[in-house]
Amino acid sequence: MTNEKTAKWRMKIKVFLLVFLLMSLGAVAIAAWANDEYYQARQDTIDEIEESGSSIESEHEIEFNVNEPEDDSLNALNLLLVGVDSDGGVARTDTIMIARYLPDEADIKLASIMRDTYVEIPGHGKNKINAAYAFGGLDLLRETIELNFDFDIQHYAQVDFDSFKRVVDTVSPEGIDIEVENRMFYEDRVEGLVIDFQPGTHTMDGSEALKYVRFRSDSENDFGRVRRQQELLSILQDEILSLSGVAKVPSLLGSVEPYIQTNLSNGKMMSYGRDFFLNGPEDIGTLTIPVEGSFTHEYYTHAGAVLEPDLNENNDALSSFLDPDTDQVTIHDDED
């Protein structure tokens, strides 16, 4: 090799090493910035919680008696997502969702289960599905879902509703635009809660958005609330996946982490999160259980007004929605 060729080759190596070094330093700087943003936001949330004297701990000791797969690769993730309101020291679950994430297909689906769905609760007979959480926490709720809907769940995320307000305020500090279709009004003088939205476009901060998704005092009742929850999740997904939204992810995660209890390891959360932001889905598929036309309105003294579902029809719908490649559906007896 001539001296001229040798010099050019050495120059290429130097340029390559310089570029590699700059990229490495950039990655380290970004990681350090993200780490600082995360821990600062997390500490701010913890300080606020301690100053307010409130508690976000569930009244139940969380257990989830399942075997964790040894394979750490990104396979299908089945997640029981529960939204709780711990006001007054008593944890109540108003939101029950089954989330299914398929990284290879960049697909996310959310099946919302109406809290008044009348089902068999292991060891407690029939009752509303949200009673399972009151009786035995997340583990009994998981068992109830698996018994009635034949769908295995290995992971959970229990989220306090205060975290929802923080997500909105962190992702979109100037608020998010929501189209209110009909007048929404509710007042609880005991709790000092007032929900009052006129029809039209509203720019809502976190507190207002939380009122919007929890409203149920109209003809739609819980069905309207579930629809609004799904609507807001889609809006927030678009905000987070935007360029400015992604830049806020470290502070977003840090600010809501103290409000979340989950059995997903930190490694898996980071892996799924990284995959989501690099190869996220365009839309979130949604389903509401019981599906339209598959239930009757009933009343029982011990449970009150309930939605009594046709489990065969709803199992078919849930199976086709969450796992369309399977044809296996367990047939339930119609006996009480």
Side-chain angles (χ1 to χ4, degrees), residues 38 62-64 66-69 71-81 99-101 103 138 153-159 253 257 260-273:
Y38 171 86
I62 291 184
E63 295 181 357
F64 221 62
V66 296
N67 294 322
E68 179 76 11
D71 184 8
D72 289 332
S73 61
L74 292 185
N75 298 317
L77 173 66
N78 296 334
L79 181 74
L80 174 59
L81 180 60
R100 182 165 172 82
Y101 178 39
L138 281 164
I153 304 172
Q154 291 185 312
H155 298 98
Y156 72 81
Q158 176 175 298
V159 183
L253 294 177
E257 189 269 341
I260 299 175
Q261 299 180 63
T262 180
N263 66 342
L264 270 173
S265 66
N266 289 337
K268 281 195 173 182
M269 282 194 292
M270 292 297 291
S271 296
Y272 280 110

Side-chain angles (χ1 to χ4, degrees), residues 118-328:
Y118 194 61
V119 294
E120 182 73 28
I121 300 176
H124 297 272
K126 284 197 169 184
N127 211 319
K128 295 178 180 180
I129 193 168
N130 71 332
Y133 182 86
F135 292 148
L138 281 164
D139 202 44
L140 183 58
L141 179 58
R142 173 190 62 83
E143 291 179 12
T144 300
I145 292 173
E146 292 184 351
L147 172 65
N148 291 274
F149 299 106
D150 305 299
F151 192 78
D152 293 334
I153 304 172
Q154 291 185 312
H155 298 98
Y156 72 81
Q158 176 175 298
V159 183
D160 189 279
F161 277 119
D162 281 341
S163 67
F164 179 86
K165 294 186 289 187
R166 284 191 168 273
V167 169
V168 174
D169 291 336
T170 301
V171 172
S172 187
E174 297 180 358
I176 54 177
D177 292 333
I178 302 294
E179 186 68 26
V180 176
E181 298 176 359
N182 302 298
R183 173 75 188 281
M184 302 171 66
F185 181 80
Y186 172 78
E187 182 177 10
D188 188 325
R189 295 182 179 179
V190 175
E191 294 186 3
L193 172 64
V194 177
I195 301 175
D196 190 2
F197 296 113
Q198 296 288 343
T201 301
H202 294 255
T203 300
M204 300 184 186
D205 62 14
S207 295
E208 293 169 327
L210 180 59
K211 291 180 179 181
Y212 176 77
V213 299
R214 300 197 67 188
F215 179 79
R216 62 186 295 240
S217 300
D218 61 6
S219 59
E220 289 188 284
N221 205 296
D222 268 342
F223 285 95
R225 175 163 58 180
V226 167
R227 177 178 57 79
R228 286 186 286 273
Q229 289 173 352
Q230 295 172 345
E231 172 194 357
L232 259 294
L233 287 175
S234 294
I235 292 174
L236 288 173
Q237 179 202 20
D238 293 339
E239 291 285 343
I240 293 173
L241 290 179
S242 68
L243 183 60
S244 59
V246 170
K248 299 170 184 174
V249 167
S251 59
L252 170 63
L253 294 177
S255 64
V256 302
E257 189 269 341
Y259 291 105
I260 299 175
Q261 299 180 63
T262 180
N263 66 342
L264 270 173
S265 66
N266 289 337
K268 281 195 173 182
M269 282 194 292
M270 292 297 291
S271 296
Y272 280 110
R274 181 174 59 249
D275 184 84
F276 176 81
F277 288 112
L278 292 177
N279 189 33
E282 294 183 0
D283 297 299
I284 297 177
T286 60
L287 179 74
T288 300
I289 295 293
V291 296
E292 185 177 357
S294 70
F295 65 93
T296 57
H297 293 276
E298 304 293 345
Y299 182 90
Y300 298 101
T301 303
H302 69 287
V306 303
L307 306 174
E308 189 153 20
D310 179 326
L311 287 178
N312 287 330
E313 186 172 347
N314 280 280
N315 276 354
D316 282 339
L318 187 63
S319 178
S320 298
F321 174 70
L322 293 175
D323 195 1
D325 294 331
T326 182
D327 295 324
Q328 181 180 356

Side-chain angles (χ1 to χ4, degrees), residues 81-121:
L81 180 60
V82 177
V84 298
D85 178 3
S86 56
D87 287 345
V90 178
R92 300 167 294 183
T93 174
D94 281 345
T95 300
I96 302 172
M97 292 182 176
I98 301 173
R100 182 165 172 82
Y101 178 39
L102 303 174
D104 291 343
E105 301 174 19
D107 185 38
I108 290 184
K109 295 179 179 178
L110 287 176
S112 300
I113 303 179
M114 305 290 289
R115 68 177 190 171
D116 291 341
T117 304
Y118 194 61
V119 294
E120 182 73 28
I121 300 176

Side-chain angles (χ1 to χ4, degrees), residues 2-17:
T2 64
N3 290 338
E4 183 178 354
K5 289 183 178 180
T6 299
K8 289 182 178 179
W9 179 248
R10 289 177 177 173
M11 180 59 68
K12 289 180 180 180
I13 293 177
K14 289 180 179 180
V15 171
F16 172 79
L17 291 175

